[in-house]
Amino acid sequence: RKEVEQDPGPFNVPEGATVAFNCTYSNSASQSFFWYRQDCRKEPKLLMSVYSSGNEDGRFTAQLNRASQYISLLIRDSKLSDSATYLCVVNPVNTGFQKLVFGTGTRLLVSP
Amino acid sequence: DAGVIQSPRHEVTEMGQEVTLRCKPISGHDYLFWYRQTMMRGLELLIYFNNNVPIDDSGMPEDRFSAKMPNASFSTLKIQPSEPRDSAVYFCASSLDPGAANTEAFFGQGTRLTVV
C-alpha cells in the first residue's frame, strides 16, 4: 500500500462550484499533514497546513480524520485560477527526523 | 534570498553518460530533499539530508544514483550510468522543520532530464 494515496482526477467543475478532494495515508502514527499546489510545469508550493481541529483559509477548508486516516480539501466558489494539481503531503514519524511524502496529486480543471 | 536554486534547468544526455544535478538550498534551512517527478509515479522522495547528513536514502532507485551534501549550501544528485527510464523532472527542496505546521518546504524550479 502506498504511504499517501489520492484520486488523480481530473475533476472538471464550472466556476463557482464547490469541490472536495480526499487523500488517505497508511501510517497511523503520522503527525503532520499539508496540501500543496502545483501549476503545470512549475514547482509545488504550500497551500495550507492541516490541523487536527480542521482549518480554513478563505475559500479553502482542510480537515483531518485520524480514525479513518484521511485528510480532505474543500474549495468553495471555484475560480479559473484554482486550476492546478493539488498534492496531499504527509510527514510520517521517522525516528525523530522529519520527511515529506507526497501523493501523486489530484488535478482540478475549472471552466468558465 | 533567491530561493532554492537548481542547475541545470534542462539536461539532455545519451544513455550511459554520467549526469550531475546541482542544488543550492535556502540559507539557514537544515533540511534538504531530492524528489523525482514523473506522470506515472508522481513526486517520489529519493533522499533527504538533515544538517548535511543523509537521513533516509530508501527512495534512491538503485546504485546508479548517489547524492552528496558536502556543505550547508550545496548538494548534488548523480546518476551514473544514466538510462532512458531516468527521464523525469528532479526537484530539490529545503526547509527548516518540514514537520512543523506552517513550515513550508521550498522547491527549486526543477531539472528536466531527458536520457535518449
Side-chain angles (χ1 to χ4, degrees):
Chain A
R1 184 184 172 186
K2 287 185 179 179
E3 287 187 275
V4 181
E5 294 199 66
Q6 295 182 251
D7 180 344
F11 284 58
N12 291 286
V13 302
E15 264 186 299
T18 296
V19 62
F21 312 133
N22 282 342
C23 160
T24 59
Y25 59 94
S26 61
N27 187 343
S28 60
S30 298
Q31 295 296 318
S32 308
F33 311 89
F34 310 88
W35 284 100
Y36 275 65
R37 170 189 167 134
Q38 186 174 24
D39 292 301
C40 188
R41 302 181 81 84
K42 298 286 188 180
E43 71 274 21
K45 293 184 179 179
L46 178 66
L47 177 66
M48 59 195 302
S49 301
V50 185
Y51 302 121
S52 296
S53 55
N55 49 296
E56 191 174 303
D57 182 1
R59 298 181 293 107
F60 298 83
T61 300
Q63 291 197 314
L64 168 64
N65 184 318
R66 285 192 182 274
S68 301
Q69 293 180 213
Y70 77 83
I71 67 173
S72 64
L73 177 68
L74 181 77
I75 305 175
R76 291 181 299 277
D77 189 22
S78 299
K79 311 291 185 190
L80 295 177
S81 57
D82 294 334
S83 296
T85 296
Y86 291 84
L87 301 161
C88 172
V89 187
V90 174
N91 176 23
V93 174
N94 184 24
T95 63
F97 294 102
Q98 312 290 338
K99 69 177 183 180
L100 297 177
V101 179
F102 283 72
T104 51
T106 298
R107 193 171 171 211
L108 172 65
L109 299 172
V110 182
S111 54
Chain B
D1 201 317
V4 176
I5 300 173
Q6 290 187 247
S7 64
R9 291 289 309 279
H10 301 273
E11 177 80 32
V12 180
T13 191
E14 290 186 346
M15 183 173 64
Q17 296 299 306
E18 176 180 297
V19 175
T20 299
L21 312 181
R22 297 173 176 78
C23 175
K24 181 180 187 307
I26 292 173
S27 176
H29 282 187
D30 48 12
Y31 280 87
L32 183 139
F33 303 84
W34 280 102
Y35 290 90
R36 174 173 71 176
Q37 187 171 39
T38 60
M39 287 292 291
M40 291 298 294
R41 301 172 70 92
L43 205 59
E44 301 174 276
L45 176 63
L46 300 177
I47 184 172
Y48 74 100
F49 296 82
N50 177 242
N51 292 322
N52 313 338
V53 176
I55 301 302
D56 184 349
D57 65 354
S58 59
M60 297 284 260
E62 48 197 275
D63 291 345
R64 297 184 297 106
F65 286 69
S66 63
K68 294 182 180 179
M69 192 165 186
N71 57 63
S73 59
F74 184 65
S75 177
T76 60
L77 178 68
K78 186 176 293 186
I79 309 172
Q80 165 64 19
S82 58
E83 296 182 3
R85 62 193 167 120
D86 302 330
S87 298
V89 179
Y90 291 80
F91 285 105
C92 173
S94 73
S95 174
L96 285 169
D97 177 358
N102 288 327
T103 299
E104 182 171 359
F106 291 86
F107 283 74
Q109 292 183 297
T111 295
R112 185 171 295 274
L113 173 65
T114 303
V115 184
V116 297

